[in-house]
């Protein structure tokens, strides 16, 4: 017999989750739990409130308590003969307004709960908030409409995977409608995140690729698509995906590129374009790229060029591609003269990051990609910093618990969202996007000096991050405790530790040719306690010392 699940209500503060939740529980004949109240009860302080816990323990303290509570939730068996038993629902849970924002909570609930997103127009919610008796810490001292708009922008991507019930009617009157909706949607696979970004729709989840892609195809009423992949990603991800699509009646034209960087050659794009022409691919056909960053870069460029642009979807299958390469719309191939020298900005319609793909990834790839996540942590993603510190030993050993306890899901969500946010603010790289170059100035230079042999991009970034920390610390930009903490994280990940044999002269020459040079001056991204700043006045002697220390593996 299938275990009973919770019916978890998510939505903005004040939307009426508790009112609807109580009514739903009564109709289903199951208990009701309000996580805010349960957290308060756990503190053991009489007359406690969410606001009081925020004041005493900070928001982080409250969220920690909330996370522990949600991790421990197991729905009770519904009474025999109840509507709950018929639908497999053992309890109704109203999740606090911010609970769904925590990746670990959504991970814990993904199989144990059905998510119902209760939504209403902002003016209806604001009206309710003005007359409510409950004190909500995030709503105090603020114009509710502006706060609601901000919260909606911040959180809607976490609510959207839920079954959506939108109405301006009083929440208590919506129970029958909610039950009908749940009944018709109960079996569909649901992602952890579903966001609308400037890089298209961004969907993250576990074993979601097939359902998410089919929903994109259904929206376009498409009955065929072009699948571009490479042999390794095909074996692990694309082949089962193609079979699932075939069974759903979708005609798949498959184009195979070589694995790894060999896909990023102009003649491969030319040959693939000819195959598209021979197969009669038209403007309206969707191109779906399944593979690591090299594959999505090359297939994205093919999509940009063929018939002056096909719509495309990226299904990144490596950690590097999920948190970096597939986001931002940069596509391209290499020339003998250098990497990524021919390319185009061509945003995908959707990026579908299926965490299940990462299970077959070699540990070395996982650790190298962690350098890009560490970069985001250093730029100011405070929780990601802690997650990486906790995960570092397990990342190095490829511990399978990373996949099972939501750690990798949280790394992908947080690092990926950071990039989506920065790209949205600066699509064409004229402002904030330069921050993503942290660690890349000497990192790229090292890759070049090494002739792109035996060194993964993320591994090179690990060295580059150390050099940027060295320079920042020497200039007094990066506080010593922050630099020490960052270096300890890189040590724990074993990134940038082993001495290198490349020459300092080659490295400095390559750094001078870097793309982030303006008026012949290198623009260095350096970190401080507020995030980062850009300096173009770093003395050459200091850069040289940083390069020497970096190559020697001393810091
Ligand atoms: N467009 C951008 O903004 C951007 C940003 C960063 C990096 N990049 C590019 O990304 C590329 C690096 O990406 P990468 O690190 O993903 O390398 P990659 O694409 O070369 O993949 C690494 C290896 O992993 C294999 N692989 C792919 N999926 C797998 C899976 N699920 N299980 C096991 N093996 C799998 C591939 O076959 C390949 O051999 C570089 O070309 C870089 O220039 C682009």
């Amino acid at each position: 017999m299938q275990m009973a699940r919770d019916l978890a209500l998510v939505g903005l503060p004040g939307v009426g989750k508790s009112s609807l939740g109580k009514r739903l529980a009564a109709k289903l004949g199951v208990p009701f739990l309000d996580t805010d109240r349960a957290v308060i009860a756990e503190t053991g302080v009489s007359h406690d409130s969410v606001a009081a816990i925020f004041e005493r323990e900070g928001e982080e303290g409250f969220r920690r308590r909330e996370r522990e509570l949600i991790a421990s939730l197991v729905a009770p068996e519904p009474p025999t003969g109840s509507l709950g038993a018929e639908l497999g629902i053992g309890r109704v849970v109203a999740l606090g307004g911010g609970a769904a924002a925590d990746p670990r909570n959504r991970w814990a609930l993904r199989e144990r709960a059905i998510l119902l997103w209760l939504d209403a127009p902002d003016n209806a919610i604001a009206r309710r908030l003005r007359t409510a008796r409950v004190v909500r810490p995030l709503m105090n001292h603020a114009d509710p409409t502006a706060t609601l708009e901000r919260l909606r922008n911040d959180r809607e991507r976490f609510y959207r995977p839920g079954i959506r019930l939108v109405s301006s009617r009083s929440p208590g009157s919506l129970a029958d409608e909610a039950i009908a909706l749940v009944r018709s949607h109960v079996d569909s696979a649901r992602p952890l995140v579903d966001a609308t970004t400037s890089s298209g729709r961004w969907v993250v989840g576990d074993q979601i690729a097939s359902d998410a892609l089919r929903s994109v195809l259904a929206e376009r009423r498409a009955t065929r698509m072009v699948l571009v992949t490479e042999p390794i990603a095909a074996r692990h991800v694309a082949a089962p995906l193609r079979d699932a699509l075939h069974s759903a009646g979708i005609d798949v034209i498959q184009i195979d590129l070589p694995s790894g960087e060999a896909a990023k050659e102009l003649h491969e794009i030319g040959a693939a374009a000819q195959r598209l022409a021979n197969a009669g691919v038209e403007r309206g056909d969707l191109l779906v790229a399944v593979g690591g960053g090299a594959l999505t870069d090359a297939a994205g460029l093919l999509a940009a060029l063929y018939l002056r642009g096909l719509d495309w979807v990226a299904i990144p299958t490596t950690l590097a591609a999920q948190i970096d390469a597939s986001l931002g719309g940069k596509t391209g191939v290499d020339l003998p003269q250098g990497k990524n020298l021919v390319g185009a900005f061509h945003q995908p319609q959707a990026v579908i990051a299926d965490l299940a793909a990462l299970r077959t990834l070699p540990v070395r790839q996982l650790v190298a990609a962690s350098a890009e996540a560490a970069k985001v942590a250093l730029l100011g993603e405070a929780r990601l910093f802690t997650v990486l510190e906790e995960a570092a030993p397990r990342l190095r050993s490829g511990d399978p618990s990373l996949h099972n306890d939501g750690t990798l899901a949280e790394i992908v969500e947080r690092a990926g969202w950071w990039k989506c946010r920065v790209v949205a603010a600066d699509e064409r790289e004229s402002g904030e996007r330069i921050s993503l170059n942290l660690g890349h100035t000497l990192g790229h230079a090292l890759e070049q000096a090494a002739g792109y042999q035996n060194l993964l991009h993320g591994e090179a970034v690990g060295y580059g991050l150390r050099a940027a920390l060295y320079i920042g610390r020497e200039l007094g930009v990066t506080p010593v405790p922050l630099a020490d903490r960052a270096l300890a994280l890189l040590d724990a990940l074993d990134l940038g530790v082993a001495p290198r044999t490349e020459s300092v002269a080659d490295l400095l020459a390559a750094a001078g040719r870097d793309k982030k040079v303006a008026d012949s001056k290198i623009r260095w991204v350096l970190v401080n306690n507020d995030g980062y700043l850009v300096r173009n006045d770093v003395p050459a002697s200091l850069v040289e010392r940083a390069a020497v220390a970096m190559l020697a593996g001393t810091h």
Side-chain angles (χ1 to χ4, degrees):
M1 199 180 76
Q2 228 189 345
M3 260 176 38
R5 288 185 287 178
D6 281 322
L7 177 60
L9 269 59
V10 295
L12 291 167
V15 73
K17 298 184 289 285
S18 291
S19 320
L20 174 60
K22 283 180 202 153
R23 199 63 68 87
L24 269 172
K27 293 230 173 207
L28 294 165
V30 298
F32 171 71
L33 181 111
D34 179 316
T35 59
D36 279 352
R37 284 181 187 282
V39 169
I40 293 167
E42 286 273 304
T43 66
V45 181
S46 60
H47 304 300
D48 220 344
S49 66
V50 175
I53 304 174
F54 263 53
E55 202 150 294
R56 216 171 42 237
E57 303 177 13
E59 182 171 356
E60 182 42 40
F62 179 82
R63 297 288 171 219
R64 196 174 324 110
R65 288 177 177 279
E66 192 176 58
R67 206 177 296 142
E68 282 164 14
L69 173 88
I70 290 170
S72 72
L73 290 180
V74 180
E77 277 310 311
T80 318
S82 64
L83 190 52
E86 189 193 319
L87 294 172
I89 294 170
R91 178 174 50 196
V92 178
V93 177
L95 287 181
D102 187 321
R104 297 300 171 103
N105 292 342
R106 274 174 288 112
W107 181 263
L109 292 171
R110 78 195 190 292
E111 282 171 347
R112 286 193 264 134
I114 301 161
L115 233 55
L116 180 65
W117 172 21
L118 178 59
D119 197 13
D122 284 354
N123 57 5
I125 306 178
R127 210 175 320 118
R128 264 176 235 149
L129 280 168
R130 282 195 204 96
T131 53
R133 278 165 304 165
V134 188
V135 181
R136 292 190 165 82
L138 295 177
M139 286 293 172
N140 274 354
H141 323 294
D143 160 20
T145 321
T147 312
L148 281 171
E149 202 180 303
R150 181 177 57 76
L151 287 176
R152 193 177 276 285
N153 279 335
D154 283 352
R155 294 182 180 171
E156 208 163 89
R157 66 188 186 279
F158 310 130
Y159 301 153
R160 195 171 293 282
I163 303 166
R164 186 180 185 200
L165 172 57
V166 54
S167 170
S168 49
R169 286 189 3 240
S170 111
S173 68
L174 298 172
D176 289 332
E177 226 167 295
I179 288 169
L181 264 180
V182 169
R183 202 189 277 280
S184 58
H185 285 82
V186 82
D187 286 325
S188 39
R190 304 214 152 247
L192 297 159
V193 175
D194 190 343
T196 308
T197 78
S198 62
S199 301
R201 193 172 148 201
W202 183 55
V203 188
V204 182
D206 194 24
Q207 302 187 31
I208 46 111
S210 168
D211 281 358
L213 180 58
R214 269 188 293 173
S215 93
V216 173
L217 291 164
E219 267 169 36
R220 301 169 66 91
R221 297 199 170 83
T223 53
R224 72 168 186 177
M225 53 161 259
V226 178
L227 173 69
V228 183
T229 187
E230 50 88 7
I232 299 175
R235 174 155 25 100
H236 297 307
V237 186
L241 190 64
R242 188 193 51 215
D243 294 346
L245 293 165
H246 271 314
S247 322
I250 305 285
D251 186 14
V252 178
I253 300 163
Q254 184 166 335
I255 307 280
D256 289 308
L257 293 177
S259 293
E261 207 63 21
K264 291 178 63 171
E265 296 198 13
L266 267 175
H267 72 89
E268 292 290 349
I269 304 301
Q274 292 192 38
R275 273 177 271 158
L276 295 182
N278 288 339
V281 171
E282 294 169 3
R283 230 328 142 57
D285 286 319
L286 185 73
L287 185 150
V288 179
V290 180
L295 186 283
T296 54
D297 270 12
L301 183 63
L302 175 64
L305 297 178
Y306 185 71
L307 296 180
R308 299 193 178 82
L310 294 182
D311 285 350
W312 73 295
V313 168
I315 304 189
T317 60
T318 63
L319 183 59
Q322 291 194 352
I323 65 176
D324 192 4
S326 67
L327 302 166
K330 282 202 219 169
T331 69
V333 293
D334 307 331
L335 292 181
Q337 287 80 355
K339 271 192 60 154
N340 301 321
L341 288 184
V342 175
F345 282 94
H346 186 45
Q347 296 289 0
Q349 301 287 302
V351 176
I352 299 169
D354 191 335
L355 298 155
L358 304 182
R359 288 182 181 267
T360 51
L361 203 61
V363 176
R364 185 176 171 197
Q365 301 270 352
L366 212 56
V367 171
S370 303
E372 295 289 357
K375 173 191 79 179
V376 170
L378 276 171
L379 288 172
E381 224 299 2
R383 165 78 186 158
L384 183 59
F385 212 144
T386 312
V387 170
L388 288 170
E389 286 171 328
E390 282 168 8
R394 292 188 292 146
L395 281 163
R396 267 179 73 177
S397 65
D399 190 326
S401 67
L402 290 167
H403 299 274
N404 303 330
D405 70 1
T407 302
L408 272 173
E410 182 160 11
I411 292 172
V412 170
E413 270 198 31
R414 290 191 181 277
W417 180 249
W418 189 276
K419 179 149 186 198
C420 289
R421 200 186 50 71
V422 171
V423 168
D426 180 16
E427 221 170 299
R428 292 274 163 163
E429 273 197 328
S430 52
E432 192 189 350
R433 197 159 172 178
I434 193 174
S435 65
L436 300 176
N437 208 44
L438 172 65
H440 283 59
T441 310
L442 284 187
H444 277 151
L446 180 60
E447 274 186 295
Q448 272 191 45
Y452 299 99
Q453 299 295 313
N454 307 322
L455 185 69
L456 299 179
H457 173 71
E459 291 169 343
V461 171
Y463 284 95
L465 285 174
R466 286 185 188 267
L469 290 165
Y470 186 106
I471 293 171
R473 195 180 50 198
E474 293 289 303
L475 288 177
V477 171
T478 309
V480 173
L482 175 61
D484 286 349
R485 188 178 167 203
L487 290 171
L489 173 60
L490 294 171
D491 285 347
L493 288 165
D494 200 24
L495 283 167
V497 173
R500 305 285 315 175
T501 53
E502 289 76 13
S503 83
V504 175
D506 282 355
L507 204 69
L508 297 179
R513 291 194 297 269
D514 190 86
K515 280 177 287 180
K516 271 69 186 179
V517 173
D519 303 331
S520 321
K521 292 202 169 107
I522 297 179
R523 298 171 72 205
W524 290 92
V525 181
L526 303 173
V527 286
N528 59 22
N529 279 336
D530 302 321
Y532 74 96
L533 53 78
V534 179
R535 292 274 294 255
N536 63 1
D537 61 345
V538 179
S541 58
L542 176 53
V543 175
E544 186 169 341
R545 271 188 286 138
V548 169
M550 182 186 107
L551 291 173
T554 55
H555 314 284

